Structures are given as C-alpha cells and as structure tokens.
Amino acid sequence: MCTWDLVDGKCTESIKMPQVHTNIQAYHMANCDDIRLFCNGYYAEIMVMDPFSLEVLFCLSSKVNPDWISALHVLRPSKRKDDVVLAITTTGTVKVWTLIGNENKYSEPIYENESKQIRCLNAITMNCCSQNQRTVLIVCAKYWQIYDAGDFTVLCSVISPSGERWMGGDFLSNDRVILWSDEGKGYLFRLPANSIPDNKDFHGPSVGKDSPFLYCILSQTGEKPLSCPPTMKLVTSNRSGKTQKYLLRGDSEGYVNIWAVPDISMEQIKQIQTQKQHPASLESTICTSLLEAWNKMNPLPVGILDQLYQNSEPLIKLTASIYLPQQSRLVVGREDGSIIIVPATQTVMLHLLHGNHQQFSDWPPHQILNGHSGRVNCLLCPSLAHSRYEKSHLVSGGVDFAVCLWDLYSGNLIHRFCVHAGEITQLLVPPPTCSPRILKCICSVASDHSVTLLSLQERKCVTLASRHLFPVISIKWRPLDDFLIVGCSDGTVYVWQMETGHLDRVLHGILAEEVLNACDENSGETGSSTGSTSEMGLANPAVHFFR
C-alpha cells in the first residue's frame, strides 16, 4: 500500500502487507479527529488503518461463517454517536459491527453484533441510503437488489441488461438509484412503493405492475465498444447552493466522460410509464482525452526534433530519450533506428521562448547516429550513474536484438553486442560494490527473457543468464555474494553467479519474495545500488532544463 502527495506526485509512505485489498473506504469516525481507512479483500477481516502511517489500528473479525468480505459500507446512524459497519461476505452472510470509538489492536477480537445469511453471492458494492438509512442497495454482476436495513429482507431485484454486467451503483434519493455496467453506461431507476421507506406500502409484498422502473440511460452514441470495463464513480458537488450529481467514467483508451445526472420530475417519469415510451437517453456533457487536448492546441506544441523535418516529410516517432546534464545535450532514439543528439538548452528555448530564433532553418546543430535497424527501445549513459565509466560512452538497445556502444563525441559506433534473441527492453548499471570486472559492465534485459552482463572494456558478453521461462520484471543485486537476482512475471526468482555465469538456484513462492525484499534492504544499507540512471535521485532528470 502507498500514500501519495498529489502536489509533487511523490510516494510519502509505502508498506508491504500479507493481505490483498480489493476495496478501501475512507471514513471520519465519530470519536476521533482523523479519517480512517476501512479495507476489505482476500481475507476474512475488515482492517481499519491510519491513512498517514498506514498502520493497522484494529481489525473487525467474524465469529459466524467467517469468509472473505466482498463489500462494506460505514455509516453513522442519525441521533447516535457510534458508527456502524455493514458488510457482506462472498458467500452472502451480512454482518453488522457497532464501533464505540475505543477500539485498538490490543483489545479483545471485535466480533460482529449481528449476522444473517441472504441469497447474494460475490457482491460488488453495498450502499446504505443516506437520506433514510432504512434501505440498502447491493450490486452483484448479474443483478442488483434493495434490502430493508432492519431485517435484511429483499424488497426488489433487477437483472442486468443482456450482454452487460453490473459494476456498481448508488442511491440518488430515497426513491431513485443509479447503476452502471461494464459497457460504460449508467441506468437510472425509480424504486417501487415497497422499497421506499416514506411510502405506506413499504416492506409490503411486491405488486406485479409496481417494479423498479428504468426511466433514463446515460450512454455515449457512436463510440466503439470498450476493450475492457471502464472505471466509474458517482460524485456529488455543491455549486452556489445547488447540489449536482455527476457520473464519471474513465476507460482504457484514455477517454474521460462526465454525465450530469438529470433530475427528472415524477410527472415526466409517469408520462414515460403510462405512454410506454423508451427510457430517456442522455449523452455525456463532457467527453475528452489527453490525445484530443493535445490535438486541439493552436498552435500545436513544438516537437523536440521538429526543426529536422521538412513540411512534406512524414514524422518519425520518438521511442526513447535521455538527458545528459554535464554536456547539456538531449539524446533521442527514433522508430527508424536512428539516434539524434541535440543541444538541450537551445531546444528548450525553441519550445518555451518566442522570438527570431524560431525562424532559423539550420538551428540548432545536431548529430545523427545510425546503427540500429528498427526501433530504438532504450538508451543509457553509464557515466551518469557512476563516474567509473567513460564520459564519452553511450549505450543503446533496439528492436533488432542488438546493444550498441557509441562514442558521444565522434558519433562513431564502437561495438555492437549481438547476444540476445529478442528485442532489448532495459539497460541497467551494476552497483558500485561489485567485483572490478563486473564494474566495467552494463546489464541488458531482452524480450526473450534473457539477461546479460556486457563488458564495455573487453567488448564482450561476460555473463548470459537465459533460462528464464517467463518475462523478466525485476533485476536485483547481491554484490558481496557475487549474485545477480532475476525476478520473473510468474513469481519465480533465479539467482545467478555474476563472475562464472552459473545458475546458483531457482526460488518460488514466499521464499522468492523474501529474497527480493532482502535485496532491497541490502541496497538501502550500501547506498543506491539499484542501477538507476537518473542524476542525483531525481525522478525526471529533465528537471535540470528548468534549473
């Protein structure tokens, strides 16, 4: 779990827990000053945590049918000073805890006050109506249901539209709910009389004609089908004394849609009902994406290498870049395999400062390195990570399986390493506590799941670690033991001897995780040994531009 500073984007706190969370609800408890996080997931408790230190303050346990909690809702009953936690397990046991404010992790286990088995498996969300606190909306993938909060009897139920699955929902008022589906649509329903606490027929038998009525659909016409379910959320905002609810949606294509939830009167709903019209359909009020925002800019932002292109030339995509602070130069790898080096300060002037210099056709001067056949995937200037490397060296990795060593000053290709059988995905620097021979190497990772140590001095491959069955996702070091530790996507960890290239052992499961974590602790003691290429620990070395 991590907490983030939204101003500068830094991670302020991070912890590793044995539990996997699937849902977190922030709630301000009655008898404390700070907000608390109520977490549930693939474990049988509800964990209550401090949002700043990420410390577990106390846990809510189950005595009856303990099982994973699939959804929860925390509320404060009106005219009371305690808090109530409602939760439902994956197998459909509803539980209620009452919190009086003196709970802590040293007290006795806090068990539920009440529990009841209902017919509801794998609930996704659970919401209590804030207006009356008498009705509860539970959403499952195939149906949603309204329950009486008093005795948890089901009052009404609606199946999901054909070909769609429900993803969540909430109350709009005590007689209306909004649901959203994995197709990215919002559905507004009016509840029947037996599900509205203010109605005389509340909790009565459901009448055939009086069932939940769909009166409005929030959708986007003409859009292509979504490749995976979007994320959606209902938010309430207050503007000049007026309350407006919005349905937000973000999808995997980078688009954000916002619908202002309409306040349709009872007369209009009755009219739709009596005339048997189709439910009203509403387009999103805002639909935008970063791509659209860039394209709408006038004039368009200047590209880093725009001065190289004539008007008729097609643009070549930029695929990798690094900034060299000592030389104030920017190195850019492109899709066609070329590497361009431009003076950084002048390029930034071209971007940010308007003036005569923008009319110059031959400016700024640049250098072109040609050696790759196909996209340049990654670039590394080893001397940025440690002074033991030559300042003139630049290393590049491409889609052509090759790692190239360049002389930055002359622009010559010094050596081409061809030891991988897949495109190069990552270039790293070993930590400064390795053996003298390894200190002259750089580490490269490729898509054929192989890892190599390439000596820039000897111009040859020192170690080839290539028996990994799954993609490599992390590289760790134990320099004092002469170990290179490779973590793969299936959770397996391979331990290689750097000098000899022998596979020392293969680890799985918890042991594999512990070895990776031990490497992090080790690197913390010996200084930065992660092989980061960023100067002075900056997240983005381009910050030097603005300095």
Side-chain angles (χ1 to χ4, degrees):
M1 284 182 85
C2 301
T3 55
W4 301 86
D5 186 321
L6 290 180
V7 178
D8 61 8
K10 283 182 181 165
C11 176
T12 54
E13 199 66 52
S14 171
I15 56 158
K16 179 95 172 166
M17 302 182 71
Q19 298 88 350
V20 176
H21 304 311
T22 55
N23 175 49
I24 300 174
Q25 183 182 338
Y27 180 78
H28 193 178
M29 290 175 66
N31 300 309
C32 80
D33 300 330
D34 292 321
I35 281 179
R36 298 287 179 242
L37 302 179
F38 286 75
C39 310
N40 66 281
Y42 300 155
Y43 47 92
E45 297 85 27
I46 293 172
M47 304 181 77
V48 182
M49 302 178 70
D50 183 301
F52 304 106
S53 66
L54 295 181
E55 177 195 0
V56 178
L57 301 173
F58 59 91
C59 290
L60 306 180
S61 307
S62 295
K63 194 174 263 184
V64 182
N65 300 337
D67 206 338
W68 290 359
I69 305 289
S70 60
L72 67 83
H73 184 80
V74 194
L75 68 143
R76 184 166 311 138
S78 53
K79 300 173 187 171
R80 273 170 57 185
K81 286 194 174 175
D82 50 11
D83 298 295
V84 171
V85 180
L86 275 176
I88 182 167
T89 66
T90 50
T91 46
T93 306
V94 175
K95 297 174 180 289
V96 180
W97 289 264
T98 303
L99 307 180
I100 51 178
N102 61 358
E103 293 81 12
N104 62 67
K105 59 180 166 189
Y106 306 110
S107 61
E108 293 287 308
I110 305 162
Y111 292 118
E112 71 270 40
N113 302 81
E114 300 172 59
S115 71
K116 182 185 176 181
Q117 182 70 35
I118 61 171
R119 291 183 65 184
C120 178
L121 299 178
N122 300 316
I124 299 166
T125 62
M126 179 182 211
N127 285 295
C128 188
C129 179
S130 57
Q131 286 90 346
N132 56 52
Q133 296 187 335
R134 283 293 312 275
T135 46
V136 176
L137 167 67
I138 296 181
V139 181
C140 301
K142 293 185 177 174
Y143 53 85
W144 61 264
Q145 296 173 320
I146 297 288
Y147 286 85
D148 182 344
D151 58 3
F152 263 88
T153 49
V154 65
L155 303 176
C156 66
S157 179
V158 174
I159 294 170
S160 59
S162 174
E164 296 182 37
R165 296 165 76 86
W166 295 126
M167 280 175 41
D170 207 341
F171 283 92
L172 292 173
S173 63
N174 64 352
D175 64 338
R176 298 181 193 191
V177 291
I178 180 169
L179 280 297
W180 46 90
S181 75
D182 60 354
E183 290 295 316
K185 297 177 184 176
Y187 294 86
L188 279 63
F189 290 89
R190 184 178 187 270
L191 299 178
N194 76 330
S195 306
I196 305 169
D198 301 340
N199 197 294
K200 64 180 193 312
D201 296 324
F202 177 61
H203 205 102
S206 57
V207 184
K209 290 179 184 174
D210 192 16
S211 57
F213 178 67
L214 174 64
Y215 65 89
C216 184
I217 298 175
L218 310 179
S219 62
Q220 192 69 14
T221 52
E223 69 172 357
K224 60 179 186 181
L226 298 172
S227 54
C228 63
T231 181
M232 299 179 77
K233 186 180 172 77
L234 184 74
V235 296
T236 307
S237 79
N238 291 304
R239 278 193 186 167
S240 56
K242 263 189 80 178
T243 303
Q244 175 65 55
K245 290 184 187 287
Y246 296 96
L247 182 64
L248 313 185
R249 182 184 100 181
D251 64 35
S252 58
E253 300 292 322
Y255 277 85
V256 172
N257 292 61
I258 301 178
W259 287 268
V261 177
D263 191 12
I264 296 178
S265 67
M266 273 307 299
E267 286 72 30
Q268 290 170 293
I269 294 177
K270 281 178 179 166
Q271 187 183 347
I272 297 171
Q273 232 169 340
T274 50
Q275 297 179 5
K276 295 189 176 172
Q277 298 172 354
H278 287 294
S281 189
L282 193 70
E283 293 278 309
S284 60
T285 29
I286 295 174
C287 175
T288 186
S289 72
L290 276 176
L291 185 67
E292 279 189 11
W294 280 111
N295 291 340
K296 280 179 184 168
M297 287 184 76
N298 189 16
L300 283 172
V302 187
I304 289 260
L305 303 179
D306 274 8
Q307 70 276 10
L308 301 184
Y309 300 113
Q310 304 301 325
N311 290 337
S312 56
E313 280 187 66
L315 291 174
I316 302 166
K317 279 187 181 172
L318 315 183
T319 53
S321 68
I322 54 165
Y323 170 56
L324 312 178
Q326 298 100 330
Q327 304 156 35
S328 189
R329 295 206 286 176
L330 190 65
V331 183
V332 181
R334 303 199 293 177
E335 203 169 34
D336 65 347
S338 60
I339 297 170
I340 315 284
I341 304 175
V342 289
T345 342
Q346 292 166 309
T347 307
V348 167
M349 279 173 64
L350 201 63
H351 271 251
L352 301 180
L353 309 176
H354 293 277
N356 294 335
H357 59 268
Q358 291 189 307
Q359 311 305 320
F360 301 163
S361 55
D362 59 342
W363 183 96
H366 59 273
Q367 203 176 353
I368 299 182
L369 314 180
N370 286 311
H372 285 287
S373 50
R375 184 177 69 238
V376 178
N377 281 344
C378 42
L379 294 163
L380 172 70
C381 182
S383 61
L384 278 185
H386 201 275
S387 55
R388 66 179 182 263
Y389 294 99
E390 284 193 39
K391 286 190 175 175
S392 60
H393 281 173
L394 172 76
V395 186
S396 62
V399 76
D400 55 357
F401 307 178
V403 175
C404 293
L405 175 63
W406 305 89
D407 185 315
L408 270 172
Y409 301 123
S410 66
N412 294 334
L413 176 61
I414 301 171
H415 190 75
R416 186 182 172 90
F417 298 93
C418 295
V419 289
H420 291 285
E423 59 180 279
I424 314 302
T425 56
Q426 208 177 353
L427 294 169
L428 304 161
V429 170
T433 46
C434 289
S435 65
R437 189 184 186 199
I438 302 300
L439 287 179
K440 301 292 181 189
C441 297
I442 58 118
C443 173
S444 63
V445 183
S447 63
D448 66 334
H449 316 163
S450 64
V451 178
T452 59
L453 291 173
L454 306 172
S455 174
L456 304 186
Q457 189 178 44
E458 300 172 43
R459 313 272 197 268
K460 70 175 187 180
C461 174
V462 171
T463 301
L464 171 61
S466 63
R467 295 184 206 165
H468 313 120
L469 301 177
F470 287 83
V472 174
I473 56 168
S474 63
I475 301 286
K476 306 278 184 183
W477 312 85
R478 293 283 290 197
L480 303 177
D481 304 320
D482 187 43
F483 285 151
L484 167 70
I485 294 166
V486 178
C488 296
S489 62
D490 66 332
T492 311
V493 166
Y494 293 75
V495 181
W496 296 86
Q497 292 175 4
M498 287 189 268
E499 286 280 359
T500 62
H502 289 156
L503 178 58
D504 187 81
R505 71 198 94 145
V506 181
L507 304 168
H508 305 270
I510 293 173
L511 195 59
E513 279 187 36
E514 284 174 355
V515 166
L516 285 179
N517 293 340
C519 292
D520 289 337
E521 289 161 22
N522 186 53
S523 67
E525 291 159 20
T526 56
S528 173
S529 59
T530 53
S532 161
T533 55
S534 63
E535 165 127 11
M536 289 157 39
L538 287 169
N540 184 347
V543 169
H544 286 284
F545 281 167
F546 298 101
R547 294 194 172 156

